[in-house]
Amino acid sequence: PTERLNSVALEYAATPSGRVCDNWNIERLSSTRELLKSRRVPHTTNAILYGGLDYDLGKNELIAESHQGTCHNTHASRSGALGINRYGVEFLPGTIAEVNEIAKRFEKKTIQYRTITGKEGTEESFKSIMGQYVDILHLATHGFFWSPEVAEKRNYVSFLQRKEINSNEEDAMLRSGLLFTGANVALMGEELPEDVEDGVLTAKELSNMNLWNVDLVVMSACESGLGETSGEGVFGLQRGFKLAGANTLLMSLWKVDDEATKILMTEFYRYYLSGKTKQESLHLAQLTLRNNPEFADPKYWAAFILLDALN
C-alpha cells in the first residue's frame, strides 16, 4: 500500500462474491524488498506476553519498581485517546484474561513463555528484551496515535518534547506509542527522575532498539498500525518496529473492543500453534468472530492486519 491506503484494510473489502480475504490470499508488505529477503523459518519455542498492566501505579511506586527491578538501566477500548483534561487511561480487564488464556495454550504445546503483568510491566522491562531471541512478543495494552492538534493540547507531557526533531516524520514518531505500567504519571504531566522510564514507549524510542531477533510482534492495542503517511510509508509504531528489526507485525487500524480482541487473539494462537501460517491463523480467528452474532460486524474483527508475514 501507499499513502493513505496504508490505513485501509483492503484485505477485508466487500466484493460481489464475498470479502477479499475469503477469495484471495493478500500479503501486505512494508516494502517490495521483502520479496528478495531470505525467509526466516518461523519457530514457536518461546514467547513474552504483556497484559493486565497497572497504568495507575503511583509515582513513588514507579520509581521504586524501577530502582529495584533487574531491568533498571543503572542496576475497554484499548485506546490511549485521552480527553483534553489531564487524566490517564484505565485498566483493561480483557488483557489479563487474554494473556492468561494464551499462556494456557503455550503450556499445552510446551512452549517456553514469560507473562509480564501488573506493576512488573514497566517500559524498562520491555527495553530489556533488546537483543534477545524472541519468537513471539505479545503486547496487550493501550496504543495511541495523536494528531499534531491533539498533541499540542498535551504539550505538558515530557515525551512530546521536540528537541532535536529534524522532520515531520520524526515528530510523528513521537506522537505514536504503547503504554506500559505507570504511564498515567507521565500522561498527567508529572516529572520523573531522568533514570526512570515514564511508561510511554514512543515509536521514535522503538526505532532505536535492537529487535532483529524477534519474529512476530502482536500489538493487541488500538490504532497500533496508524501513523503519518507519506510516499515513504507509515511513520508510527509499525515504522518503529520495522526499523528496530522485528519481522512480522500484527496490528490494528482503529479502536478495538476489549472483549472481541481477547477472543480474536486467543483464536489466532490456537490456529498458529496448530501449524497454520500466520495469515491462515488470522483469517480463521476472524471467522470465529464473524460467525458470532455479537461480533459479526467488521468493526470487531477487521481492524487487525498482518505486515510482512511471508514466512
Side-chain angles (χ1 to χ4, degrees):
T2 186
E3 298 282 346
R4 297 197 175 206
L5 289 179
N6 283 284
S7 304
V8 179
L10 294 173
E11 297 91 325
Y12 317 127
T15 73
S17 58
R19 301 278 175 182
V20 169
C21 59
D22 297 327
N23 297 294
W24 296 279
N25 182 32
I26 304 297
E27 303 280 359
R28 181 182 290 253
L29 304 179
S30 57
S31 167
T32 51
R33 289 190 299 271
E34 293 293 321
L35 295 170
L36 302 177
K37 288 183 179 179
S38 58
R39 300 282 178 265
R40 300 186 191 185
V41 178
H43 298 285
T44 50
T45 58
N46 71 85
I48 299 176
L49 310 171
Y50 277 83
L53 304 185
D54 184 0
Y55 310 108
D56 285 323
L57 192 70
K59 179 177 177 178
N60 292 335
E61 293 175 288
L62 179 60
I63 294 171
E65 180 66 22
S66 170
H67 285 169
Q68 74 181 5
T70 57
C71 304
H72 188 257
N73 56 14
T74 61
H75 167 149
S77 165
R78 301 189 181 184
S79 171
L82 311 179
I84 296 176
N85 297 322
R86 301 186 184 190
Y87 60 86
V89 294
E90 296 180 347
F91 178 74
L92 293 171
T95 62
I96 187 64
E98 178 177 309
V99 296
N100 286 340
E101 184 63 34
I102 294 169
K104 290 178 184 176
R105 297 194 183 282
F106 287 159
E107 285 176 1
K108 290 179 181 177
K109 295 290 183 177
T110 63
I111 293 171
Q112 217 174 13
Y113 70 91
R114 182 157 54 107
T115 301
I116 301 175
T117 63
K119 68 178 183 179
E120 295 178 351
T122 61
E123 184 182 351
E124 285 155 324
S125 73
F126 178 84
K127 289 185 174 179
S128 73
I129 294 169
M130 283 199 292
Q132 295 183 34
Y133 283 88
V134 180
D135 295 323
I136 298 171
L137 179 54
H138 186 90
L139 304 167
T141 184
H142 285 286
F144 69 91
F145 172 65
W146 293 343
S147 68
E149 295 75 23
V150 171
E152 188 61 36
K153 293 175 181 177
R154 295 169 179 76
N155 58 13
Y156 50 83
V157 296
S158 59
F159 64 87
L160 285 178
Q161 291 176 357
R162 289 169 168 77
K163 293 182 293 185
E164 301 178 7
I165 297 300
N166 301 313
S167 65
N168 291 333
E169 288 81 7
E170 279 190 87
D171 182 70
M173 299 279 276
L174 279 179
R175 295 185 274 104
S176 177
L178 294 169
L179 302 185
F180 289 84
T181 289
N184 283 342
V185 173
L187 293 174
M188 290 187 282
E190 293 189 53
E191 294 293 328
L192 285 164
E194 289 187 6
D195 65 342
V196 176
E197 299 287 356
D198 61 9
V200 181
L201 180 73
T202 66
K204 188 172 189 303
E205 289 177 282
L206 259 176
S207 67
N208 293 317
M209 292 181 64
N210 173 13
L211 298 175
W212 285 93
N213 296 321
V214 176
D215 180 48
L216 172 62
V217 176
V218 178
M219 287 180 274
S220 186
C222 288
E223 302 176 331
S224 49
L226 297 185
E228 294 288 350
T229 56
S230 72
E232 297 297 316
V234 181
F235 289 85
L237 283 168
Q238 63 172 282
R239 182 79 165 196
F241 272 110
K242 294 306 293 184
L243 287 174
N247 182 31
T248 302
L249 306 181
L250 177 55
M251 54 197 175
S252 66
L253 295 178
W254 57 76
K255 295 177 183 179
V256 295
D257 179 79
D258 195 32
E259 180 63 21
T261 301
K262 182 192 75 172
I263 297 171
L264 179 74
M265 290 300 167
T266 53
E267 287 295 292
F268 170 79
Y269 285 109
R270 178 164 77 91
Y271 289 111
Y272 188 48
L273 297 179
S274 73
K276 301 290 185 184
T277 67
K278 298 167 185 173
Q279 202 78 39
E280 290 170 337
S281 300
L282 178 60
H283 179 59
L284 291 169
Q286 289 171 324
L287 283 177
T288 300
L289 289 177
R290 291 167 65 182
N291 292 329
N292 182 333
E294 185 178 355
F295 300 117
D297 192 295
K299 70 180 181 181
Y300 292 112
W301 60 265
F304 284 94
I305 57 172
L306 274 166
L307 182 70
D308 295 337
L310 289 174
N311 69 338

